[in-house]
Amino acid sequence: MRTLKLGPSSLDVPVIAVGCMRLDSLDRSEAERFVHAALEEGATFFDHADIYGGGRCEEVFADAIGMNGTVREGIILQSKCGIRPGMFDFSKEHILASVDGILQRLRTDYLDILLLHRPDTLVEPEEVAEAFDELERSGRVRHFGVSNQHPRQIDLLKKYVRQPIVANQLQLSLTNATMITSGFNVNMENEAAINRDGYILDYCRLHDITIQPWSPFQYGFFEGVFLDNPKFPELNAKIDEVAASYGVSNTTIAIAWLLRHPARMQPVIGTMNVGRLRDCCRASEVHLTREEWYALYRAAGNVLP
């Protein structure tokens, strides 16, 4: 498994992050098999959130991996907080309480990375700074990031927060690529030119923030997967053609398309299927050509100006 530096930190991480949002759908033996298959592939970065399964996913993970001191040293744990029923909450009190709960469920003393999970419009950045300082000082969290935030929201945090923002989780896939599309259509009067995110792709590259694409196989907002979907015949034909040329699966190519971008992204995969997990990890070995990358982009229905 190839690695990359996470943001401006010195932390080397696998280029594939294993998302654990659905881990509570597996029974004990299935969860153990899945987690250890990830370890066999060198996919030692596990992404959690306090809301996944109401916290149950973190408990299932700790059991499945057999969490202890030795195991903990060989993995990288990321979790997120800030979403509550019917609201978002970046208050100092909620952040600290959330992290304590996460650590208890994961049976560990520290998180490698904590992300703020979706923006809270009532955020008091001074409180976030106090929470981050306390978490860093106590050793409970080593690195910090955000999720689904645009440049000005990150700048507001950075005005008060001392720690570098190392990652930003954003929705991105072959069929959800507005952050790329708007960059092609600068100064044009068409739908594709609409800037929906403050040019977050360029911002993250300029500020060494690692983009972690979530839902890399989804179209719309959790409407379904585009792979083998009759709604996307041209895209799937091109994916299958490229996959055949490399001797890999269509799953591998969908992830390889993200990894080919020079922003050095770290896709978060959400599959609970061991075979698809291994196919995702194989994308680390595939380097698409420029021609292949653009052909796939166009096949997804995108028109170059």
Side-chain angles (χ1 to χ4, degrees):
M1 174 72 68
R2 288 192 289 115
T3 63
L4 55 81
K5 292 290 185 186
L6 189 70
S9 77
S10 60
L11 189 62
D12 285 309
V13 300
V15 295
I16 301 295
V18 180
C20 297
M21 185 173 71
R22 300 180 181 88
L23 198 59
D24 64 333
S25 67
L26 306 181
D27 64 28
R28 175 65 180 265
S29 62
E30 291 171 335
E32 289 179 355
R33 180 168 174 261
F34 176 81
V35 169
H36 286 90
L39 297 178
E40 290 169 6
E41 295 293 332
T44 56
F45 188 110
F46 297 93
D47 174 73
H48 295 271
D50 57 358
I51 64 164
Y52 292 167
R56 177 62 182 154
C57 291
E58 291 166 331
E59 295 174 340
V60 171
F61 175 83
D63 287 339
I65 203 168
M67 186 67 77
N68 59 40
T70 301
V71 168
R72 182 66 183 92
E73 291 177 5
I75 62 175
I76 300 167
L77 291 179
Q78 172 175 281
S79 196
K80 302 180 285 292
C81 71
I83 298 180
R84 294 175 58 190
M87 63 185 289
F88 303 116
D89 190 348
F90 287 175
S91 66
K92 176 182 178 181
E93 179 183 23
H94 181 70
I95 292 172
L96 295 179
S98 294
V99 170
D100 286 343
I102 290 167
L103 296 179
Q104 182 178 17
R105 291 188 294 272
L106 288 173
R107 303 209 303 264
T108 182
D109 295 329
Y110 69 96
L111 286 176
D112 294 285
I113 310 104
L114 173 71
L115 305 186
L116 297 178
H117 204 175
R118 291 199 172 275
D120 173 15
T121 195
L122 300 183
V123 62
E124 300 281 357
E126 301 93 333
E127 283 196 36
V128 175
E130 291 176 6
F132 282 10
D133 284 345
E134 184 170 332
L135 292 170
E136 182 183 52
R137 186 168 51 248
S138 66
R140 285 177 283 175
V141 178
R142 296 183 175 180
H143 304 281
F144 300 86
V146 296
S147 175
N148 305 292
Q149 293 204 13
H150 64 57
R152 297 289 77 80
Q153 291 167 327
I154 296 173
D155 283 343
L156 178 61
L157 277 178
K158 289 170 67 175
K159 180 179 179 181
Y160 299 92
V161 170
R162 295 185 306 102
Q163 297 81 3
I165 301 300
V166 301
N168 188 6
Q169 276 196 11
L170 297 158
Q171 185 175 17
L172 179 62
S173 71
L174 265 163
T175 53
N176 287 63
T178 55
M179 72 172 69
I180 292 172
T181 298
S182 62
F184 283 129
N185 291 270
V186 175
N187 198 38
M188 298 188 69
E189 295 183 357
N190 57 23
E191 176 75 14
I194 296 175
N195 172 247
R196 304 177 188 277
D197 51 37
Y199 299 106
I200 190 62
L201 172 59
D202 298 316
Y203 178 90
C204 287
R205 294 183 72 181
L206 284 167
H207 293 273
D208 297 322
I209 298 172
T210 297
I211 292 175
Q212 296 178 332
W214 55 267
S215 289
F217 305 110
Q218 291 278 334
Y219 68 93
F221 188 68
F222 294 109
E223 292 180 38
V225 298
F226 57 80
L227 291 176
D228 297 320
N229 189 324
K231 290 184 178 181
F232 303 95
E234 183 179 352
L235 175 58
N236 278 288
K238 179 54 68 173
I239 290 175
D240 290 345
E241 175 188 322
V242 176
S245 71
Y246 284 93
V248 298
S249 73
N250 57 359
T251 295
T252 300
I253 295 302
I255 297 297
W257 185 82
L258 293 168
L259 294 179
R260 175 62 176 83
H261 198 282
R264 294 175 58 80
M265 301 179 190
Q266 184 193 30
V268 181
I269 60 171
T271 181
M272 292 291 103
N273 178 284
V274 169
R276 284 195 291 273
L277 165 70
R278 295 191 189 278
D279 285 343
C280 289
C281 292
R282 193 171 180 187
S284 169
E285 306 164 8
V286 176
H287 186 79
L288 299 178
T289 66
R290 184 181 296 265
E291 291 79 8
E292 289 165 340
W293 189 94
Y294 274 98
L296 289 165
Y297 176 78
R298 296 196 314 272
N302 300 298
V303 178
L304 295 178

